[in-house]
Amino acid sequence: MSIVQGYCKAVTSLNRWLAVLASLLVFIMVAVISYEVVARYFFDAPTVWALELSTLLLGPYFMLAGPYLLHTAGHVNVDILYGKLSAKAAAIVDTGIYPVIGLIACVLIYQSIPVAVNSIESGETSFSSWNPAIWPAKTLIPVAFTLLLLQSIAETLQAIVRIRTGGGSVS
């Protein structure tokens, strides 16, 4: 296995593992919202925390699943055009698209690090009646964009390999 293949496999495996872990948050969100519905409509006792907790869990869910979604091509794509391309032409297009995603991730990392640091240093909370700490969610933002950057690099490298091999798949 080459260094490039090892890098791509390691990054994709990490992002797959994190996406699976993040997807488990859906079960917690469903349980929390279900509890809120029962408490509110059957016992006339709404909670102050359920909606906010489910919102705080939604962030990590989509932020940690995003980099693996990039690998599986589950994101929005213009399949009408992309699907008509040969495998090699699609790989050439990918070598242009994935670096742009990486560049956007770099900008978002750069912009989100000071926000996360400030949030950690101040022990930021939500200012609601429940008032949970929100610095963990804000800290996750640059982490998730770093994972997206690493995955975009892996996808770019795989596209380059596909070009060199005539468009065949890369493992």
Side-chain angles (χ1 to χ4, degrees):
M1 179 184 315
S2 72
I3 293 173
V4 169
Q5 287 174 321
Y7 170 81
C8 294
K9 186 173 184 170
V11 167
T12 302
S13 295
L14 172 64
N15 283 326
R16 180 184 306 117
W17 182 81
L18 289 171
V20 168
L21 190 64
S23 68
L24 296 176
L25 294 174
V26 170
F27 295 106
I28 298 170
M29 287 186 283
V30 167
V32 166
I33 295 298
S34 298
Y35 179 83
E36 172 64 18
V37 168
V38 170
R40 178 180 299 262
Y41 294 109
F42 290 102
F43 299 108
D44 196 28
T47 65
V48 296
W49 54 267
L51 181 61
E52 193 166 16
L53 178 59
S54 62
T55 302
L56 287 172
L57 292 175
L58 181 63
Y61 168 67
F62 81 84
M63 294 290 288
L64 292 175
Y68 186 64
L69 187 69
L70 183 67
H71 172 71
T72 62
H75 55 284
V76 175
N77 196 358
V78 185
D79 288 333
I80 295 169
L81 302 174
Y82 194 79
K84 294 183 190 268
L85 297 174
S86 69
K88 188 171 184 173
I92 291 168
V93 169
D94 287 345
T95 60
I97 292 171
Y98 290 127
V100 170
I101 294 169
L103 180 62
I104 292 167
C106 286
V107 169
L108 293 169
I109 292 165
Y110 178 77
Q111 292 294 319
S112 64
I113 287 175
V115 173
V117 169
N118 183 46
S119 186
I120 293 167
E121 288 175 350
S122 67
E124 187 175 7
T125 60
S126 73
F127 301 107
S128 68
S129 58
W130 180 40
N131 201 28
I134 60 171
W135 62 265
K138 286 193 175 182
T139 303
L140 184 62
I141 296 169
V143 171
F145 282 118
T146 300
L147 293 168
L148 182 65
L149 171 62
L150 296 174
Q151 190 67 52
S152 69
I153 292 168
E155 298 303 320
T156 301
L157 292 171
Q158 289 178 338
I160 291 168
V161 170
R162 287 195 315 270
I163 291 169
R164 289 185 175 174
T165 60
S169 64
V170 182
S171 49

